[in-house]
Amino acid sequence: MRSLREAFGQFATGVAVITTVTADGERAGVTVNSLTSVSLDPALLLWCLSNRAPSAPLFLRAGRFAVNVLAADQGHLSRRFATPAADKFAGVELLGTPLPILAGTLASFVCRTERVHDGGDHHILVGAVERYQRAGGEPLVFHSGRYREFWPELSAGEGRVASHA
């Protein structure tokens, strides 16, 4: 199992924090690198949530979620939302919206849960994008179990990835 995980980890990804809030105000957030666009028309995206995640019942019950695409300097948010805590949102700057949107992200998407599929040990959530915003900037990159740096100033064919100490 570890070997398969390491092989999957060879695919470099961006990092996002998915957030939600239930009708009774209970908030949840998780860090993911399993995010992809599905369709432009209609606007759909998907992400995967572990069946064992303590927040899984909240995400499945809420029916809505926000995707927060993290910037290169937001590794602290990735770690925060990947670690169990009583209140992952404590001290985190949020934008004024019913769904928790993290400040300073590269992009955010507010979605209605369109479908949930069984994906083995994960749920696959497909979201219909209701609105989005894009700020741009450098992404937080994850490869082989570590955060990496992205150097966009290099010309095509000269790209490289470096690890953070």
Side-chain angles (χ1 to χ4, degrees), residues 2-75:
R2 182 71 183 163
S3 177
L4 177 60
R5 184 178 185 147
E6 289 171 357
F8 283 154
Q10 293 309 298
F11 183 70
T13 66
V15 183
V17 170
I18 314 293
T19 59
T20 196
V21 62
T22 62
D24 59 0
E26 194 171 2
R27 298 185 299 187
V30 296
T31 300
V32 302
N33 68 341
S34 60
L35 172 68
T36 191
S37 59
V38 174
S39 172
L40 292 175
D41 187 17
L44 300 172
L45 58 75
L46 72 75
W47 63 285
C48 301
L49 174 66
S50 172
N51 295 342
R52 293 179 289 130
S55 58
L58 275 71
F59 278 100
L60 296 174
R61 189 171 74 236
R64 295 173 52 80
F65 59 86
V67 176
N68 301 272
V69 179
L70 298 184
D73 63 351
Q74 293 182 310

Side-chain angles (χ1 to χ4, degrees), residues 108-129:
S108 62
F109 303 86
V110 172
C111 301
R112 174 180 37 79
T113 303
E114 181 75 16
R115 290 184 198 97
V116 178
H117 300 281
D118 176 32
D121 60 4
H122 280 68
H123 299 288
I124 302 167
L125 288 89
V126 177
V129 178

Side-chain angles (χ1 to χ4, degrees), residues 12 29 39 43-44 46 54 70 72 88-89 108 120 125 130-131 133 141 154:
S39 172
L44 300 172
L46 72 75
L70 298 184
K88 294 180 181 185
F89 294 91
S108 62
L125 288 89
E130 296 178 337
R131 67 177 193 276
Q133 62 185 19
V141 177
L154 298 176

Side-chain angles (χ1 to χ4, degrees), residues 93-108:
E93 185 181 352
L94 301 174
L95 302 178
T97 178
L99 279 170
I101 304 287
L102 307 179
T105 61
L106 298 185
S108 62

